[in-house]
Amino acid sequence: MKSGTFISNRKFSIVLCFMLLAVFLFADQSFAATAKEIDASVDATMDRFYKQVKDAKEVVRQAKGLLVLPNVKKGAFIIGGEYGQGAMRIDGKTVEYYNMISGSVGFQIGGQAKDVIIAFMSSEALKKFRESKGWEAGVDGNVALITVGAGESAMTTMAKQPIVAFVFDVKGLMADMSLRGAKFNKLDKDK
């Protein structure tokens, strides 16, 4: 094989992967989601949460607020990106809308969609989150991640942590469950 052919095939592969990544991340209509569409997706995610997560009803009962992010998309080929939109629910009602965005660089390839629910177990943690402009997981607040299906007890973790996250209903070919570095911003959506 000629080295020129290898380089051009490699460049083509890299460009193709970035194009697929862009399509995967940005072709979804989630950027243009209305408040009504987000609320419908959040309702469906809460139904899945109750079905898939042990102690879900107790989590919802004890949480001061829940940030529900349905169908968060992630794609990567060395450079990765993640995006999703959702709603902050307090006492079962939507009070604000947020997006989550993150980027990463490293050995990674693939794509996935997942549901994320972040439970704020203390009023102080919830207030700090809602008053921030660009809250970042792992910087502005530590988030204890509960691995659904790994036998972890949500109740034990919730008793010790002010912010607990659940990642579930994962679809795709990626093994990253971290929220570290994810940035959350309030959206201006009319109900």
Side-chain angles (χ1 to χ4, degrees):
M1 176 188 288
K2 295 179 187 178
S3 67
T5 304
F6 174 74
I7 292 172
S8 66
N9 284 342
R10 187 173 172 192
K11 284 181 182 176
F12 174 76
S13 296
I14 291 171
V15 169
L16 180 62
C17 286
F18 278 115
M19 288 172 55
L20 290 172
L21 175 64
V23 168
F24 177 75
L25 287 176
F26 304 115
D28 188 35
Q29 293 298 316
S30 62
F31 282 101
T34 65
K36 187 176 181 179
E37 291 168 335
I38 293 172
D39 283 333
S41 293
V42 166
D43 290 339
T45 299
M46 290 304 298
D47 288 343
R48 287 190 296 276
F49 184 61
Y50 289 126
K51 290 176 187 168
Q52 295 179 24
V53 177
K54 181 183 174 187
D55 300 323
K57 288 185 180 176
E58 191 62 21
V59 171
V60 171
R61 189 184 73 71
Q62 289 187 26
K64 306 300 181 203
L66 295 172
L67 180 59
V68 183
L69 298 150
N71 203 25
V72 175
K73 303 263 196 268
K74 181 172 188 170
F77 181 75
I78 301 170
I79 298 172
E82 186 170 31
Y83 185 82
Q85 289 184 341
M88 173 63 72
R89 295 246 169 124
I90 297 175
D91 295 325
K93 301 205 181 332
T94 296
V95 295
E96 296 163 332
Y97 297 94
Y98 287 85
N99 70 8
M100 177 184 117
I101 189 164
S102 70
S104 57
V105 177
F107 184 71
Q108 55 188 339
I109 187 168
Q112 71 179 15
K114 61 190 174 190
D115 292 334
V116 178
I117 293 182
I118 301 175
F120 294 88
M121 305 312 297
S122 75
S123 297
E124 182 181 322
L126 177 62
K127 181 180 181 201
K128 184 176 178 183
F129 178 85
R130 292 183 70 196
E131 291 177 351
S132 72
K133 295 187 186 331
W135 191 89
E136 187 173 338
V139 175
D140 296 313
N142 288 323
V143 180
L145 186 65
I146 306 259
T147 307
V148 175
E152 289 186 60
S153 170
M155 304 315 294
T156 303
T157 304
M158 285 174 18
K160 300 180 213 170
Q161 302 294 330
I163 306 171
V164 180
F166 298 84
V167 177
F168 60 102
D169 203 40
V170 179
K171 299 172 198 80
L173 298 171
M174 245 179 144
D176 180 21
M177 293 296 160
S178 172
L179 293 177
R180 184 167 294 280
K183 198 153 190 138
F184 298 85
N185 297 294
K186 198 178 295 186
L187 298 173
D188 186 19
K189 298 272 184 189
D190 292 326
K191 283 194 160 196

